[in-house]
Amino acid sequence: MEHPHGVQPALGLFEDEGEGRRARAAGLGLLAPLPDEALLGILEQLPARDLARLACSSRFLWAFCQHDELWKAFCLEELEGRWDFQASWQDTYLAGTVPGYKPGARKPRKVAGVQSDLLYAPWLCATAAVDPAWLEVDNIDRRSGLTLEEFREQYERPNRPVILTDVVTRWPAMKRWSRGYLQKAFKGKQVIVGDQPISFDAYCRYSDQNNDELPLYLFDKTFCQTAPQLAEDYSPPELFADDLFGLLGDSRPDWRWLIIGPYKSGSSWHKDPNSTSAWNGVVRGSKKWVLYPPHITPPGVRPSEDGADVASPVSLMEWFMSFYEHKEGVGCTAQECILREGELLFVPRNWWHIALNLEPDTVAVTQNFVSEVNLPHVLAHLRSRSPALVSGCDVDARAQLYDRFRAALRQHRPELLERVEAAEAAARKRAEEQQKLAGLFRETPAAAGCSSTAAGAANKSTTTVAGKAAAVAAGGGGGFSFGFKL
């Protein structure tokens, strides 16, 4: 398969390198030394009319100005949900802004000599199929009939993922949520796609026609308000029914979403907000999941020091094509599965995860929750009061979420809050004792100023005490151990 505009990768394998350099120099002039990323950054600043004019100046700029992500941005930013997808984003924009424009009337034009990984890679990711090798590993437990005690002891407290096979199958949604049913539920209403409201029918047309590298994802947190009947078609599993954020009522952080997406859409690498745990139940279709525990950063992912921002490949397909084969290179075996129709995945707190839709029109419901088990971790996260780290509510309300949640716990679940506070106090006391013990083995400034004889005696004494402490920590000392980690 060939790029629709004749663009080739900048590898010198498919085109003469000299011709590529000449085409770049002729097409860009003084801009030729700029890397493609800088050139695209300049083009992103232009309005659509100027971009169309610039495309007429050279074959190299023509190829860059056809880059569909540029026109996708125009549609999302200027048309604000009033777009109706027309096979490409450029045609979609022109159909929405130029009276009488006929989508598809222009034939794709190919140009020679244009080499650019920046233009070629998105097309390659968009047209590539899911590699069967990515679907071979399935190492997450599948369970049914778990009691709450069994679930907490075997999975929630150890912070391990598990697939429940006997929950979603009981939902009325399994029989009802066809596309036609959802179209009736959302008739005349809008859904949230890419943080933007559009009609459900418009999204369905986009879903059927798009060929994006990263397809738009319907991720709607208001679906139960928009179509209340959908709330009657599913219910949270009993294992997750005790959701303590529910004590905040309508002012709780965002917590449930309807998720619909086409083939190869999905969610990129992230941890769920506010140290909550989550569950994700598939009503229609299937998803490929890859997960890593909290202390293991997935290959190709670069979180900021505070965890507020994450840099990763542009698309899910790019990550799978570039990094999946290196998944074991981070010193940990990834947890993987294909989550099938009728199955539900428990996603433990702070686990990194990615999900790739494997079928057209995949439909799922997900909810985040706070249980007794993960409550201490949620409170510790909210205690930062940082608007960059706390999420799920208005920016102005994020700094107060910790205090509001703690007040709600004190009013409605005082015994639970007391247990958490007691555990926090015990942890502080242990930390203080460890600090004091460590201080015994550090040379004080006064000792450093003593005579050489006194200093030698002090060193000898310190060495003896430190040696005994090390033996104790290692399990020696006649079988007695404090259990401190020095």
Side-chain angles (χ1 to χ4, degrees):
M1 183 180 283
E2 188 179 7
H3 190 285
H5 304 308
V7 176
Q8 296 178 349
L11 301 175
L13 299 178
F14 303 95
E15 186 83 20
D16 177 70
E17 290 188 12
E19 182 181 347
R21 286 194 295 270
R22 288 192 294 273
R24 186 180 185 90
L28 294 179
L30 296 177
L31 297 179
L34 291 178
D36 287 354
E37 292 79 6
L39 179 60
L40 190 62
I42 294 173
L43 299 182
E44 288 172 347
Q45 308 306 312
L46 299 179
R49 186 178 296 274
D50 289 348
L51 194 68
R53 288 168 174 162
L54 188 64
C56 301
S57 60
S58 73
R59 60 179 174 174
F60 202 94
L61 283 171
W62 186 90
F64 261 81
C65 292
Q66 305 308 306
H67 187 45
D68 221 28
E69 287 297 314
L70 293 170
W71 298 93
K72 181 178 183 179
F74 290 139
C75 290
L76 299 182
E77 293 171 9
E78 296 182 23
L79 301 184
E80 297 179 338
R82 300 184 306 276
W83 48 268
D84 193 4
F85 193 73
Q86 303 291 331
S88 76
W89 285 107
Q90 188 181 72
D91 269 357
T92 300
Y93 180 79
L94 295 174
T97 56
V98 179
Y101 178 79
K102 295 181 179 180
R106 298 176 305 135
K107 300 290 185 181
R109 179 182 302 173
K110 295 182 180 180
V111 293
V114 178
Q115 300 177 357
S116 170
D117 290 339
L118 190 65
L119 299 183
Y120 188 86
W123 169 81
L124 181 63
C125 291
T127 55
V130 172
D131 189 334
W134 304 341
L135 311 180
E136 293 176 355
V137 179
D138 203 325
N139 57 7
I140 297 178
D141 290 353
R142 280 181 163 81
R143 300 292 300 273
S144 63
L146 281 177
T147 66
L148 178 59
E149 182 179 356
E150 289 171 336
F151 166 70
R152 287 189 169 173
E153 289 303 316
Q154 297 175 33
Y155 297 102
E156 191 174 20
R157 287 195 176 92
N159 210 36
R160 295 175 53 211
V162 63
I163 297 170
L164 306 180
T165 61
D166 58 348
V167 175
V168 180
T169 51
R170 304 173 188 170
W171 291 351
M174 284 291 293
K175 295 181 179 179
R176 296 178 182 171
W177 284 11
S178 64
R179 175 177 283 191
Y181 180 87
L182 294 174
Q183 284 176 319
K184 290 180 181 178
F186 289 116
K187 186 175 182 179
K189 302 171 184 177
Q190 293 185 314
V191 291
I192 305 300
V193 175
D195 295 327
Q196 194 174 86
I198 69 170
S199 75
F200 184 73
D201 285 342
Y203 179 71
C204 289
R205 287 191 291 273
Y206 162 81
S207 180
D208 292 341
Q209 299 180 59
N210 94 92
N211 196 28
D212 285 351
E213 176 191 12
L214 182 61
L216 292 176
Y217 210 22
L218 190 157
F219 204 79
D220 194 333
K221 64 183 180 183
T222 64
F223 73 101
C224 285
Q225 290 77 37
T226 305
Q229 64 268 43
L230 299 184
E232 302 174 3
D233 293 341
Y234 83 100
S235 57
E238 293 181 4
L239 299 181
F240 315 127
D242 188 20
D243 183 1
L244 297 169
F245 262 158
L247 299 176
L248 293 172
D250 293 340
S251 64
R252 66 171 298 161
D254 300 334
W255 59 295
R256 63 182 176 186
W257 294 264
L258 175 67
I259 308 174
I260 303 177
Y263 176 56
K264 297 196 300 185
S265 63
S267 57
S268 56
W269 283 108
H270 68 285
K271 294 181 177 182
D272 281 336
N274 303 324
S275 290
T276 57
S277 299
W279 56 262
N280 186 296
V282 176
V283 177
R284 193 165 71 241
S286 59
K287 297 171 178 283
K288 168 67 182 184
W289 284 74
V290 184
L291 304 93
Y292 285 95
H295 63 288
I296 300 294
T297 302
V301 176
R302 296 290 180 269
S304 61
E305 188 173 347
D306 62 2
D309 299 301
V310 177
S312 63
V314 171
S315 70
L316 305 180
M317 287 295 291
E318 182 183 357
W319 185 85
F320 274 98
M321 294 171 72
S322 302
F323 294 100
Y324 183 79
E325 62 181 323
H326 306 295
K327 61 180 179 175
E328 310 297 339
V330 291
C332 176
T333 299
Q335 296 291 288
E336 303 181 53
C337 71
I338 296 177
L339 193 65
R340 298 179 175 86
E341 191 170 298
E343 294 183 329
L344 181 146
L345 175 66
F346 165 65
V347 183
R349 58 173 170 78
N350 289 333
W351 274 61
W352 288 100
H353 53 279
I354 190 174
L356 176 69
N357 288 335
L358 300 178
E359 300 176 42
D361 220 17
T362 296
V363 180
V365 176
T366 186
Q367 289 191 185
N368 290 72
F369 67 96
V370 183
S371 70
E372 294 183 14
V373 174
N374 68 341
L375 175 61
H377 304 279
V378 172
L379 287 173
H381 183 96
L382 299 181
R383 192 180 293 121
S384 71
R385 297 181 174 84
S386 168
L389 297 177
V390 177
S391 62
C393 52
D394 292 338
V395 175
D396 294 340
R398 294 177 184 178
Q400 290 77 43
L401 182 57
Y402 171 76
D403 298 300
R404 289 195 298 109
F405 187 36
R406 202 163 187 123
L409 288 166
R410 194 172 301 282
Q411 179 181 356
H412 299 286
R413 299 291 297 273
E415 79 294 342
L416 181 56
L417 182 60
E418 287 171 4
R419 290 207 303 267
V420 173
E421 290 175 338
E424 290 174 345
R428 287 194 298 270
K429 185 176 180 180
R430 285 195 300 271
E432 291 170 359
E433 289 172 345
Q434 289 181 5
Q435 271 192 325
K436 289 178 181 178
L437 185 59
L440 293 176
F441 309 128
R442 285 198 295 266
E443 186 178 27
T444 65
C450 293
S451 64
S452 58
T453 303
N459 288 338
K460 181 179 180 180
S461 175
T462 301
T463 302
T464 304
V465 174
K468 290 180 179 179
V472 169
F480 180 80
S481 171
F482 286 106
F484 294 131
K485 294 181 180 180
L486 302 179

